[in-house]
Structures are given as structure tokens and as C-alpha cells.
Amino acid sequence: MTSSTGNSQGVLVPSAEKRGLTFIEVMVTVVVLTVGLLAIYRSFFLGLDYLNHLSYRLSALNLLEGSISSVEHSFRSLKDFDVGPLKETLVINNRPVDFQYTIALEPIGNLLTVFKLDITLSWEERGRVITLSRSAYFSGLVGTGPGG
């Protein structure tokens, strides 16, 4: 039973045994605040990891597009067909990242003027190997048309 005493103005004042917080209430509050702060801390670092992954992916997409353009240009101009280095290192977010290429160029069917280019780029991120692939088709070599 709780008891309250009245003062001279008729306002109820809790008795001395109900003033302040109990140890259990303080501990529950500490646990709830800790769980909330840990959730915020975890979501912050998950966001940083995702941003780092997107930086790697954007760099890989740029490398793929540049490689497709370079291979197509070399192929169309009938120069010495050079795909360039099959490994490239970029510094992303102050960390060196090694990108490895796999390039396949082959004619489509019996057509010797239409070719399919497949480029796969892979890199290691947080102990996992991530791959990204692109394909391109091109035809019409320089000097094969009329007047060429």
C-alpha cells in the first residue's frame, strides 16, 4: 500500500518511500538506451560498408566501359589487337583494390563480321570475390565497306 500525506494546501505529496528511482528502473533504462545506441552504431557502419561497396562498383563499371571502348577501337582499326593489362589496381577510399579482367571475343555463328565481346571484372571485398560482367556486340570493321 502506498501512503500519501497532505500538506496545508491540500496537495498530495508522496511519502518518503516513493521518492526517486529504484535500482531496477535505472538498470532497465540503461539497457534500453544501450540497445538503442548499439542499433544506431551498427546502422552507421553498415551504411559506411554499403557506401564503400558502391564506390568499388562504380569504379568497376567505369573500368568495364573503358575496356569495352578500348577493345572495340583496337578491333575496328585493325591495329595490333591489344586488350591491355588483365589486372589493374586502383586506390579507392584510400585502399588499393586489384581488379582482374576476363575477356572473350568471338564471332557470332558463321558471321565473320559480327562479334560478341564479354568482359568480366572481379575484385575482392571484405573476404568475398565480387564479379561484374558486361557484353557488347559490334560489327563493321574499318576498310570492309564500299570505298574502304
PDB file of all heavy atoms in Angstrom, residues 59-83:
ATOM      1  N   SER A  59      33.568   2.261 -59.665  1.00  0.00           N
ATOM      2  CA  SER A  59      34.890   2.205 -60.302  1.00  0.00           C
ATOM      3  C   SER A  59      34.974   1.041 -61.273  1.00  0.00           C
ATOM      4  O   SER A  59      35.540   1.168 -62.362  1.00  0.00           O
ATOM      5  CB  SER A  59      35.980   2.080 -59.242  1.00  0.00           C
ATOM      6  OG  SER A  59      36.002   3.214 -58.417  1.00  0.00           O
ATOM      7  N   ALA A  60      34.411  -0.109 -60.893  1.00  0.00           N
ATOM      8  CA  ALA A  60      34.422  -1.278 -61.778  1.00  0.00           C
ATOM      9  C   ALA A  60      33.611  -1.014 -63.043  1.00  0.00           C
ATOM     10  O   ALA A  60      34.028  -1.388 -64.146  1.00  0.00           O
ATOM     11  CB  ALA A  60      33.869  -2.501 -61.042  1.00  0.00           C
ATOM     12  N   LEU A  61      32.475  -0.364 -62.913  1.00  0.00           N
ATOM     13  CA  LEU A  61      31.671  -0.035 -64.100  1.00  0.00           C
ATOM     14  C   LEU A  61      32.427   0.898 -65.040  1.00  0.00           C
ATOM     15  O   LEU A  61      32.387   0.721 -66.262  1.00  0.00           O
ATOM     16  CB  LEU A  61      30.343   0.601 -63.690  1.00  0.00           C
ATOM     17  CG  LEU A  61      29.294  -0.352 -63.140  1.00  0.00           C
ATOM     18  CD1 LEU A  61      28.120   0.427 -62.552  1.00  0.00           C
ATOM     19  CD2 LEU A  61      28.820  -1.289 -64.223  1.00  0.00           C
ATOM     20  N   ASN A  62      33.127   1.877 -64.485  1.00  0.00           N
ATOM     21  CA  ASN A  62      33.927   2.773 -65.321  1.00  0.00           C
ATOM     22  C   ASN A  62      35.035   2.016 -66.032  1.00  0.00           C
ATOM     23  O   ASN A  62      35.317   2.266 -67.207  1.00  0.00           O
ATOM     24  CB  ASN A  62      34.508   3.911 -64.486  1.00  0.00           C
ATOM     25  CG  ASN A  62      33.474   4.948 -64.118  1.00  0.00           C
ATOM     26  OD1 ASN A  62      32.469   5.102 -64.798  1.00  0.00           O
ATOM     27  ND2 ASN A  62      33.715   5.655 -63.033  1.00  0.00           N
ATOM     28  N   LEU A  63      35.698   1.095 -65.318  1.00  0.00           N
ATOM     29  CA  LEU A  63      36.746   0.286 -65.951  1.00  0.00           C
ATOM     30  C   LEU A  63      36.181  -0.583 -67.066  1.00  0.00           C
ATOM     31  O   LEU A  63      36.786  -0.723 -68.128  1.00  0.00           O
ATOM     32  CB  LEU A  63      37.438  -0.598 -64.905  1.00  0.00           C
ATOM     33  CG  LEU A  63      38.374   0.096 -63.938  1.00  0.00           C
ATOM     34  CD1 LEU A  63      38.871  -0.884 -62.885  1.00  0.00           C
ATOM     35  CD2 LEU A  63      39.542   0.715 -64.675  1.00  0.00           C
ATOM     36  N   LEU A  64      35.011  -1.183 -66.832  1.00  0.00           N
ATOM     37  CA  LEU A  64      34.381  -2.028 -67.856  1.00  0.00           C
ATOM     38  C   LEU A  64      34.037  -1.224 -69.102  1.00  0.00           C
ATOM     39  O   LEU A  64      34.319  -1.660 -70.229  1.00  0.00           O
ATOM     40  CB  LEU A  64      33.125  -2.694 -67.310  1.00  0.00           C
ATOM     41  CG  LEU A  64      33.325  -3.928 -66.462  1.00  0.00           C
ATOM     42  CD1 LEU A  64      31.999  -4.382 -65.869  1.00  0.00           C
ATOM     43  CD2 LEU A  64      33.952  -5.041 -67.268  1.00  0.00           C
ATOM     44  N   GLU A  65      33.429  -0.081 -68.922  1.00  0.00           N
ATOM     45  CA  GLU A  65      33.054   0.735 -70.078  1.00  0.00           C
ATOM     46  C   GLU A  65      34.285   1.194 -70.849  1.00  0.00           C
ATOM     47  O   GLU A  65      34.298   1.189 -72.085  1.00  0.00           O
ATOM     48  CB  GLU A  65      32.206   1.934 -69.642  1.00  0.00           C
ATOM     49  CG  GLU A  65      30.853   1.559 -69.082  1.00  0.00           C
ATOM     50  CD  GLU A  65      29.996   0.786 -70.069  1.00  0.00           C
ATOM     51  OE1 GLU A  65      30.001   1.107 -71.280  1.00  0.00           O
ATOM     52  OE2 GLU A  65      29.315  -0.154 -69.626  1.00  0.00           O
ATOM     53  N   GLY A  66      35.335   1.577 -70.127  1.00  0.00           N
ATOM     54  CA  GLY A  66      36.571   1.973 -70.791  1.00  0.00           C
ATOM     55  C   GLY A  66      37.219   0.817 -71.535  1.00  0.00           C
ATOM     56  O   GLY A  66      37.746   0.987 -72.639  1.00  0.00           O
ATOM     57  N   SER A  67      37.160  -0.374 -70.968  1.00  0.00           N
ATOM     58  CA  SER A  67      37.736  -1.558 -71.616  1.00  0.00           C
ATOM     59  C   SER A  67      36.966  -1.932 -72.872  1.00  0.00           C
ATOM     60  O   SER A  67      37.566  -2.282 -73.894  1.00  0.00           O
ATOM     61  CB  SER A  67      37.748  -2.738 -70.655  1.00  0.00           C
ATOM     62  OG  SER A  67      38.589  -2.475 -69.572  1.00  0.00           O
ATOM     63  N   ILE A  68      35.652  -1.873 -72.804  1.00  0.00           N
ATOM     64  CA  ILE A  68      34.841  -2.172 -73.987  1.00  0.00           C
ATOM     65  C   ILE A  68      35.182  -1.196 -75.108  1.00  0.00           C
ATOM     66  O   ILE A  68      35.385  -1.594 -76.257  1.00  0.00           O
ATOM     67  CB  ILE A  68      33.334  -2.126 -73.647  1.00  0.00           C
ATOM     68  CG1 ILE A  68      32.953  -3.333 -72.790  1.00  0.00           C
ATOM     69  CG2 ILE A  68      32.486  -2.078 -74.907  1.00  0.00           C
ATOM     70  CD1 ILE A  68      31.545  -3.281 -72.239  1.00  0.00           C
ATOM     71  N   SER A  69      35.268   0.070 -74.773  1.00  0.00           N
ATOM     72  CA  SER A  69      35.595   1.077 -75.779  1.00  0.00           C
ATOM     73  C   SER A  69      36.988   0.845 -76.361  1.00  0.00           C
ATOM     74  O   SER A  69      37.182   0.941 -77.581  1.00  0.00           O
ATOM     75  CB  SER A  69      35.508   2.463 -75.139  1.00  0.00           C
ATOM     76  OG  SER A  69      35.883   3.448 -76.041  1.00  0.00           O
ATOM     77  N   SER A  70      37.946   0.541 -75.518  1.00  0.00           N
ATOM     78  CA  SER A  70      39.315   0.316 -75.976  1.00  0.00           C
ATOM     79  C   SER A  70      39.430  -0.912 -76.878  1.00  0.00           C
ATOM     80  O   SER A  70      40.073  -0.865 -77.938  1.00  0.00           O
ATOM     81  CB  SER A  70      40.230   0.153 -74.757  1.00  0.00           C
ATOM     82  OG  SER A  70      41.520  -0.191 -75.154  1.00  0.00           O
ATOM     83  N   VAL A  71      38.785  -2.011 -76.486  1.00  0.00           N
ATOM     84  CA  VAL A  71      38.835  -3.229 -77.303  1.00  0.00           C
ATOM     85  C   VAL A  71      38.144  -2.998 -78.635  1.00  0.00           C
ATOM     86  O   VAL A  71      38.650  -3.386 -79.693  1.00  0.00           O
ATOM     87  CB  VAL A  71      38.204  -4.421 -76.546  1.00  0.00           C
ATOM     88  CG1 VAL A  71      37.983  -5.604 -77.467  1.00  0.00           C
ATOM     89  CG2 VAL A  71      39.080  -4.819 -75.371  1.00  0.00           C
ATOM     90  N   GLU A  72      37.000  -2.344 -78.611  1.00  0.00           N
ATOM     91  CA  GLU A  72      36.281  -2.084 -79.861  1.00  0.00           C
ATOM     92  C   GLU A  72      37.097  -1.181 -80.785  1.00  0.00           C
ATOM     93  O   GLU A  72      37.182  -1.424 -81.989  1.00  0.00           O
ATOM     94  CB  GLU A  72      34.924  -1.455 -79.567  1.00  0.00           C
ATOM     95  CG  GLU A  72      34.107  -1.230 -80.816  1.00  0.00           C
ATOM     96  CD  GLU A  72      32.735  -0.659 -80.526  1.00  0.00           C
ATOM     97  OE1 GLU A  72      32.446  -0.307 -79.372  1.00  0.00           O
ATOM     98  OE2 GLU A  72      31.949  -0.560 -81.492  1.00  0.00           O
ATOM     99  N   HIS A  73      37.725  -0.161 -80.222  1.00  0.00           N
ATOM    100  CA  HIS A  73      38.533   0.743 -81.043  1.00  0.00           C
ATOM    101  C   HIS A  73      39.718  -0.002 -81.668  1.00  0.00           C
ATOM    102  O   HIS A  73      39.990   0.154 -82.858  1.00  0.00           O
ATOM    103  CB  HIS A  73      39.022   1.921 -80.207  1.00  0.00           C
ATOM    104  CG  HIS A  73      39.882   2.875 -80.955  1.00  0.00           C
ATOM    105  ND1 HIS A  73      39.372   3.723 -81.915  1.00  0.00           N
ATOM    106  CD2 HIS A  73      41.214   3.101 -80.912  1.00  0.00           C
ATOM    107  CE1 HIS A  73      40.346   4.436 -82.427  1.00  0.00           C
ATOM    108  NE2 HIS A  73      41.494   4.073 -81.835  1.00  0.00           N
ATOM    109  N   SER A  74      40.402  -0.819 -80.882  1.00  0.00           N
ATOM    110  CA  SER A  74      41.534  -1.592 -81.409  1.00  0.00           C
ATOM    111  C   SER A  74      41.080  -2.565 -82.488  1.00  0.00           C
ATOM    112  O   SER A  74      41.741  -2.730 -83.510  1.00  0.00           O
ATOM    113  CB  SER A  74      42.213  -2.382 -80.290  1.00  0.00           C
ATOM    114  OG  SER A  74      42.844  -1.532 -79.396  1.00  0.00           O
ATOM    115  N   PHE A  75      39.953  -3.194 -82.262  1.00  0.00           N
ATOM    116  CA  PHE A  75      39.451  -4.178 -83.211  1.00  0.00           C
ATOM    117  C   PHE A  75      39.012  -3.518 -84.514  1.00  0.00           C
ATOM    118  O   PHE A  75      39.322  -3.994 -85.598  1.00  0.00           O
ATOM    119  CB  PHE A  75      38.289  -4.947 -82.586  1.00  0.00           C
ATOM    120  CG  PHE A  75      37.823  -6.087 -83.426  1.00  0.00           C
ATOM    121  CD1 PHE A  75      38.548  -7.265 -83.484  1.00  0.00           C
ATOM    122  CD2 PHE A  75      36.657  -5.976 -84.161  1.00  0.00           C
ATOM    123  CE1 PHE A  75      38.111  -8.322 -84.259  1.00  0.00           C
ATOM    124  CE2 PHE A  75      36.221  -7.033 -84.940  1.00  0.00           C
ATOM    125  CZ  PHE A  75      36.950  -8.206 -84.987  1.00  0.00           C
ATOM    126  N   ARG A  76      38.298  -2.398 -84.407  1.00  0.00           N
ATOM    127  CA  ARG A  76      37.797  -1.723 -85.611  1.00  0.00           C
ATOM    128  C   ARG A  76      38.918  -1.121 -86.445  1.00  0.00           C
ATOM    129  O   ARG A  76      38.822  -1.067 -87.666  1.00  0.00           O
ATOM    130  CB  ARG A  76      36.801  -0.632 -85.247  1.00  0.00           C
ATOM    131  CG  ARG A  76      35.460  -1.157 -84.836  1.00  0.00           C
ATOM    132  CD  ARG A  76      34.513   0.004 -84.568  1.00  0.00           C
ATOM    133  NE  ARG A  76      33.259  -0.475 -84.055  1.00  0.00           N
ATOM    134  CZ  ARG A  76      32.239  -0.843 -84.823  1.00  0.00           C
ATOM    135  NH1 ARG A  76      32.352  -0.787 -86.123  1.00  0.00           N
ATOM    136  NH2 ARG A  76      31.124  -1.250 -84.287  1.00  0.00           N
ATOM    137  N   SER A  77      39.965  -0.652 -85.813  1.00  0.00           N
ATOM    138  CA  SER A  77      41.045  -0.031 -86.576  1.00  0.00           C
ATOM    139  C   SER A  77      42.050  -1.059 -87.086  1.00  0.00           C
ATOM    140  O   SER A  77      43.019  -0.688 -87.747  1.00  0.00           O
ATOM    141  CB  SER A  77      41.746   1.019 -85.716  1.00  0.00           C
ATOM    142  OG  SER A  77      42.363   0.399 -84.615  1.00  0.00           O
ATOM    143  N   LEU A  78      41.818  -2.331 -86.766  1.00  0.00           N
ATOM    144  CA  LEU A  78      42.669  -3.437 -87.217  1.00  0.00           C
ATOM    145  C   LEU A  78      44.131  -3.243 -86.839  1.00  0.00           C
ATOM    146  O   LEU A  78      45.032  -3.689 -87.524  1.00  0.00           O
ATOM    147  CB  LEU A  78      42.549  -3.646 -88.731  1.00  0.00           C
ATOM    148  CG  LEU A  78      41.186  -4.095 -89.215  1.00  0.00           C
ATOM    149  CD1 LEU A  78      41.169  -4.175 -90.734  1.00  0.00           C
ATOM    150  CD2 LEU A  78      40.818  -5.436 -88.620  1.00  0.00           C
ATOM    151  N   LYS A  79      44.334  -2.550 -85.721  1.00  0.00           N
ATOM    152  CA  LYS A  79      45.693  -2.421 -85.215  1.00  0.00           C
ATOM    153  C   LYS A  79      46.065  -3.737 -84.547  1.00  0.00           C
ATOM    154  O   LYS A  79      45.310  -4.693 -84.539  1.00  0.00           O
ATOM    155  CB  LYS A  79      45.775  -1.296 -84.166  1.00  0.00           C
ATOM    156  CG  LYS A  79      45.578   0.081 -84.728  1.00  0.00           C
ATOM    157  CD  LYS A  79      45.926   1.157 -83.724  1.00  0.00           C
ATOM    158  CE  LYS A  79      45.338   0.909 -82.359  1.00  0.00           C
ATOM    159  NZ  LYS A  79      45.554   1.978 -81.409  1.00  0.00           N
ATOM    160  N   ASP A  80      47.240  -3.725 -83.962  1.00  0.00           N
ATOM    161  CA  ASP A  80      47.639  -4.871 -83.158  1.00  0.00           C
ATOM    162  C   ASP A  80      46.594  -5.002 -82.050  1.00  0.00           C
ATOM    163  O   ASP A  80      46.420  -4.097 -81.246  1.00  0.00           O
ATOM    164  CB  ASP A  80      49.037  -4.625 -82.586  1.00  0.00           C
ATOM    165  CG  ASP A  80      49.522  -5.800 -81.764  1.00  0.00           C
ATOM    166  OD1 ASP A  80      49.028  -6.916 -81.989  1.00  0.00           O
ATOM    167  OD2 ASP A  80      50.398  -5.584 -80.910  1.00  0.00           O
ATOM    168  N   PHE A  81      45.902  -6.102 -82.044  1.00  0.00           N
ATOM    169  CA  PHE A  81      44.788  -6.276 -81.120  1.00  0.00           C
ATOM    170  C   PHE A  81      45.336  -6.481 -79.713  1.00  0.00           C
ATOM    171  O   PHE A  81      45.887  -7.518 -79.379  1.00  0.00           O
ATOM    172  CB  PHE A  81      43.922  -7.452 -81.569  1.00  0.00           C
ATOM    173  CG  PHE A  81      42.670  -7.595 -80.745  1.00  0.00           C
ATOM    174  CD1 PHE A  81      41.686  -6.636 -80.833  1.00  0.00           C
ATOM    175  CD2 PHE A  81      42.498  -8.670 -79.902  1.00  0.00           C
ATOM    176  CE1 PHE A  81      40.542  -6.755 -80.088  1.00  0.00           C
ATOM    177  CE2 PHE A  81      41.358  -8.790 -79.164  1.00  0.00           C
ATOM    178  CZ  PHE A  81      40.373  -7.828 -79.246  1.00  0.00           C
ATOM    179  N   ASP A  82      45.207  -5.454 -78.888  1.00  0.00           N
ATOM    180  CA  ASP A  82      45.741  -5.491 -77.535  1.00  0.00           C
ATOM    181  C   ASP A  82      44.613  -5.164 -76.571  1.00  0.00           C
ATOM    182  O   ASP A  82      44.000  -4.109 -76.656  1.00  0.00           O
ATOM    183  CB  ASP A  82      46.869  -4.473 -77.394  1.00  0.00           C
ATOM    184  CG  ASP A  82      47.488  -4.492 -76.014  1.00  0.00           C
ATOM    185  OD1 ASP A  82      47.369  -5.521 -75.314  1.00  0.00           O
ATOM    186  OD2 ASP A  82      48.091  -3.470 -75.632  1.00  0.00           O
ATOM    187  N   VAL A  83      44.347  -6.085 -75.660  1.00  0.00           N
ATOM    188  CA  VAL A  83      43.273  -5.852 -74.700  1.00  0.00           C
ATOM    189  C   VAL A  83      43.771  -5.095 -73.482  1.00  0.00           C
ATOM    190  O   VAL A  83      43.002  -4.728 -72.625  1.00  0.00           O
ATOM    191  CB  VAL A  83      42.619  -7.182 -74.247  1.00  0.00           C
ATOM    192  CG1 VAL A  83      41.912  -7.836 -75.390  1.00  0.00           C
ATOM    193  CG2 VAL A  83      43.643  -8.098 -73.624  1.00  0.00           C
TER     194      VAL A  83
END
